Amino acid sequence: MLMVAPLKRPLAGAVTAATRSTSAHLLLPASCRCFSVLNRPPPNYEGHVPLTKTERLGLALGSGFMSFINPRRGDLIAAFGEATAQPYFINRLRDRMLMHPTGRRILRERPRLTSTSLDIPRLRSLPKNTLGYAYVAWLDAEGVSPDTRAAVRYIDDEECAYVMQRYRECHDFYHALAGLPVFREGEVAVKAFEFMNTGLPMTGLAVFSALTLKKAEWERFWAIYGPWAFRNGARADDMINVYWEKELETDVEELRARLGIEKPPDLRAIRKLERERRRRRREKGAKEKAGSSS
Amino acid sequence: MNMQASKTLFRRQLLGGLKWRRTAREPYRCFSCSIRHEQEPSPSKFPQDTAGTTHFGYETVDEALKEHKVGAVFSSVASSYDTMNDLMSLGIHRLWKDYFVRNLNPGANPLTSSSDPEKGWNILDIAGGTGDIAFRMLDHASTINNDAHTKVTVADINPDMLAEGKKRALATPYARSPRLKFVEANAEKLDMIPDNSVDLYTVAFGVRNFTHKDVAIREAFRVLKPGGVFACMEFSKVNNPLFDAFYKRWSFGAIPLIGQLVAGDRDSYQYLVESIDRFPSQTEFRDMIQEAGFLVPGQGWEDLTGGIAAIHKGVKPIR
């Protein structure tokens, strides 16, 4: 005991001294400090806006409400995600990345997904069964580009801000893998999937916009896409840990099998079929009416 | 909380991030300037930090750049300008503008005035892009003073704001009449306006955006007729310290947030509230007006809503 004790104390003392000096030198995350809007701390990364608790609450409520009314306001949906992810949910997502070897690699290398980093023309030349080709085919079918994601501004921890940005940039890959389209019905299904997979509150709350769906869409969500999303999101591997840039030439089916995702029914095809059926019914009705009146 | 923070810092040190640009060491201008601004006593006049630079909100920028940056701000806010004004001032800006025009009483009543009834006033409204003040002036002259000849020239440096104003003019009876004209001009260089030609020069909530306020005031002096009136309504310093505390917190907290929610543009509204904060106080601005050669009536200004806005007036002396 006498021999161990003096050895232990200097070591423990040295470690705590090192910790104290490190934290003294580096900037503490803004969420740990109390400040007012009149003396915000310096930002932790470019574009960072440290928010007070009241501001964050206001942003969460305001952006949540307004993006529910007008889901086309992508910037508000992004702000809603950032305002509600702290402090627990985004940290948990980042920790899940740290626990996975590919996740750690992504955090170390910090890749960004833009149209320039992806080389879209090259992806079009890939074989039809690859992820890259499926992704570009989906982009073309939906008429969107990868550059439309807003920059993260309201997350205080710099690493968590990157995690949020990565999640946002990978959203299109989740769409492409599932084959779900960009209009409200498809987005709600993808958001439900993301909620079960990432745990971010914004994704879960976005599922409430399913309440604004039309009757047929609502029934389809309850019958097909909702159960698909909840089942697959919970069962699949963490999508945030997929290094998409390195998986572009993988076979899509093999990737789905590895991650544990089933492909849901083609929503566009179902809707087209429904439209055709409705149109034929209307024409038949009109013909019968014309026939009975003459 | 502190333990978690130090663990996070340790982890960050171990992993190290590459591409995410770190600006933690070098303070970002806007926010750190606000701390410095609070601590240092503000000088009597707002000097430029070094030769050739001026302030853009709390940032220090080259003079040539300020005009471009202000232009970008107003191009971005043009379409949602009115909604944002209503939300930021809780609708009070309408009362301010009504009072401003009523107080100036534009237009010469043909029955009571001694001047030529065919002439009317020649009013120049600077930075009046969306036409708020111009339409009020014309309405007041026409309906209250029965003056059908008073005309207003709306000048603005930003073509988007002018386009917005022209669009709104279509709903008024003045749209295609000679009584309303829109011209794109920089307040510091009004070459298209001849000397001694304007009866009333107004600028409402525009002066704080000028790169050189003194040059603009001297231009105003040049274009005004002797006896002409210079009237400026601008955000100013609140008198009451308790009210000021609430006002500042509303400005810096709520307004950029409303800008984000309604207009999708937090930065423009952050610039707006910073430029309001940097604007000279009532006495300083009155001194600037006097220095340009104007005679200043009475105290020189009138506070609105406790000093949130102030109306400054000056009269060009009749030599």
Side-chain angles (χ1 to χ4, degrees):
Chain A
M1 270 306 266
L2 271 168
M3 270 182 58
V4 174
L7 261 172
K8 257 179 116 180
R9 229 180 288 123
L11 197 65
V15 171
T16 44
T19 324
R20 243 182 286 124
S21 69
T22 324
S23 56
H25 284 146
L26 293 175
L27 215 59
L28 275 176
S31 51
C32 294
R33 293 158 39 167
C34 289
F35 56 91
S36 81
V37 299
L38 299 178
N39 60 338
R40 290 182 208 272
N44 293 333
Y45 52 88
E46 197 179 319
H48 179 213
V49 178
L51 295 179
T52 60
K53 288 197 178 59
T54 323
E55 279 185 302
R56 186 163 299 131
L57 186 66
L59 184 65
L61 292 174
S63 60
F65 176 67
M66 293 198 63
S67 55
F68 180 77
I69 299 180
N70 181 8
R72 289 164 183 271
R73 286 288 303 272
D75 61 311
L76 285 187
I77 296 175
F80 185 50
E82 293 171 38
T84 51
Q86 277 186 286
Y88 169 69
F89 299 99
I90 193 70
N91 287 344
R92 201 179 68 162
L93 192 62
R94 194 263 315 272
D95 294 347
R96 284 223 294 278
M97 282 185 87
L98 288 172
M99 288 195 276
H100 192 279
T102 320
R104 284 197 291 272
R105 190 175 167 200
I106 296 173
L107 280 177
R108 202 166 43 237
E109 295 175 13
R110 305 240 179 140
R112 296 291 301 272
L113 278 169
T114 61
S115 63
T116 42
S117 75
L118 276 176
D119 194 2
I120 301 284
R122 183 186 80 92
L123 294 181
R124 284 210 186 93
S125 63
L126 288 174
K128 290 200 185 340
N129 65 329
T130 53
L131 172 68
Y133 186 81
Y135 176 63
V136 167
W138 180 85
L139 284 179
D140 289 337
E142 301 298 326
V144 294
S145 91
D147 272 337
T148 48
R149 301 295 153 186
V152 170
R153 298 191 72 183
Y154 303 115
I155 295 202
D156 293 328
D157 183 47
E158 187 226 339
E159 193 173 41
C160 290
Y162 173 73
V163 172
M164 194 69 186
Q165 188 77 42
R166 177 79 184 164
Y167 152 73
R168 209 175 274 170
E169 288 170 356
C170 295
H171 177 79
D172 280 349
F173 274 106
Y174 309 159
H175 265 286
L177 216 54
L180 285 167
V182 286
F183 44 76
R184 202 179 296 206
E185 202 185 341
E187 284 289 354
V188 166
V190 177
K191 279 284 180 286
F193 173 81
E194 285 177 347
F195 178 60
M196 296 309 290
N197 201 264
T198 63
L200 291 173
M202 175 268 286
T203 52
L205 293 167
V207 177
F208 281 101
S209 73
L211 294 165
T212 56
L213 289 173
K214 300 197 188 91
K215 185 161 170 286
E217 297 174 345
W218 171 252
E219 285 169 356
R220 261 200 301 271
F221 180 73
W222 273 114
I224 312 172
Y225 293 100
W228 167 83
F230 294 125
R231 192 174 56 239
N232 282 276
R235 204 178 54 185
D237 285 350
D238 280 313
M239 301 291 270
I240 194 80
N241 287 331
V242 179
Y243 206 139
W244 299 102
E245 292 90 333
K246 309 279 178 195
E247 302 275 10
L248 290 171
E249 289 169 27
T250 339
D251 180 77
V252 169
E253 293 302 325
E254 187 245 301
L255 183 64
R256 284 201 193 106
R258 196 188 339 139
L259 293 173
I261 302 173
E262 316 158 333
K263 187 164 197 259
D266 188 345
L267 185 53
R268 277 198 188 268
I270 292 180
R271 284 168 68 110
K272 192 163 172 214
L273 222 63
E274 288 281 305
R275 269 199 303 272
E276 283 292 303
R277 213 174 287 153
R278 267 201 311 269
R279 193 177 55 86
R280 256 179 273 131
R281 223 179 298 138
R282 244 183 295 136
E283 280 175 3
K284 203 165 76 179
K287 227 179 278 174
E288 280 177 356
K289 209 181 278 177
S292 66
S293 66
S294 66
Chain B
M1 213 37 170
N2 263 325
M3 271 262 291
Q4 197 188 35
S6 45
K7 266 197 233 158
T8 319
L9 294 166
F10 243 140
R11 203 185 293 134
R12 209 190 292 160
Q13 257 206 317
L14 290 173
L15 293 176
L18 306 164
K19 288 183 187 129
W20 205 255
R21 270 163 289 181
R22 290 210 187 188
T23 54
R25 307 232 180 255
E26 187 207 31
Y28 176 67
R29 272 209 176 107
C30 263
F31 299 127
S32 66
C33 272
S34 68
I35 301 171
R36 268 189 260 135
H37 182 75
E38 294 287 272
Q39 288 166 1
E40 290 170 46
S42 45
S44 55
K45 281 222 174 62
F46 270 85
Q48 292 159 6
D49 296 5
T50 62
T53 61
T54 180
H55 59 85
F56 177 75
Y58 289 154
E59 275 181 69
T60 303
V61 297
D62 284 332
E63 286 178 353
L65 197 54
K66 170 156 180 173
E67 202 177 288
H68 168 77
K69 289 185 89 139
V70 171
V73 164
F74 280 94
S75 289
S76 135
V77 307
S79 51
S80 55
Y81 191 62
D82 268 353
T83 320
M84 279 305 304
N85 281 346
D86 277 330
L87 285 170
M88 291 195 292
S89 65
L90 308 177
I92 300 177
H93 74 106
R94 295 167 192 264
L95 299 175
W96 290 337
K97 286 169 183 163
D98 288 341
Y99 176 74
F100 182 58
V101 170
R102 203 167 59 232
N103 191 267
L104 287 169
N105 199 12
N109 193 321
L111 293 175
T112 57
S113 76
S114 49
S115 56
D116 181 6
E118 294 296 313
K119 275 197 69 192
W121 285 24
N122 181 12
I123 303 174
L124 177 63
D125 183 31
I126 295 288
T130 50
D132 277 349
I133 297 289
F135 303 148
R136 282 176 167 85
M137 296 269 189
L138 287 168
D139 285 340
H140 185 102
S142 310
T143 52
I144 302 204
N145 286 326
N146 295 308
D147 178 345
H149 300 284
T150 295
K151 58 187 171 74
V152 178
T153 307
V154 177
D156 199 294
I157 198 174
N158 187 301
D160 294 315
M161 294 292 271
L162 277 176
E164 192 64 34
K166 282 179 192 157
K167 206 165 64 179
R168 291 182 198 189
L170 295 173
T172 68
Y174 317 109
R176 273 175 253 279
S177 76
R179 294 182 70 185
L180 183 61
K181 208 165 55 152
F182 288 90
V183 70
E184 189 177 326
N186 184 332
E188 298 170 19
K189 204 162 175 288
L190 297 170
D191 292 340
M192 72 291 298
I193 316 273
D195 293 5
N196 301 316
S197 60
V198 172
D199 290 298
L200 174 63
Y201 177 112
T202 57
V203 50
F205 303 117
V207 186
R208 70 176 187 281
N209 301 308
F210 295 169
T211 313
H212 301 108
K213 292 185 271 291
D214 47 345
V215 176
I217 299 177
R218 279 202 294 276
E219 268 298 278
F221 192 83
R222 178 186 69 82
V223 300
L224 276 169
K225 290 180 187 161
V229 173
F230 168 87
C232 162
M233 181 160 66
E234 189 52 80
F235 289 109
S236 206
K237 303 282 180 249
V238 173
N239 324 336
N240 183 320
L242 182 64
F243 186 43
D244 194 29
F246 281 108
Y247 175 61
K248 279 231 163 62
R249 275 159 182 80
W250 167 263
S251 290
F252 284 92
I255 287 179
L257 180 63
I258 297 174
Q260 166 79 59
L261 294 178
V262 173
D265 188 352
R266 190 192 175 90
D267 296 329
S268 292
Y269 290 92
Q270 183 72 34
Y271 159 72
L272 234 68
V273 296
E274 287 176 1
S275 67
I276 291 172
D277 202 44
R278 288 289 294 242
F279 193 73
S281 69
Q282 283 90 325
T283 44
E284 285 160 14
F285 196 57
R286 181 211 47 209
D287 293 341
M288 283 172 79
I289 295 174
Q290 269 177 330
E291 254 165 59
F294 287 103
L295 293 172
V296 158
Q299 194 191 34
W301 76 85
E302 190 180 346
D303 278 336
L304 300 173
T305 319
I308 296 180
I311 300 178
H312 288 264
K313 289 207 189 114
V315 181
K316 180 165 174 175
I318 301 176
R319 296 243 176 77

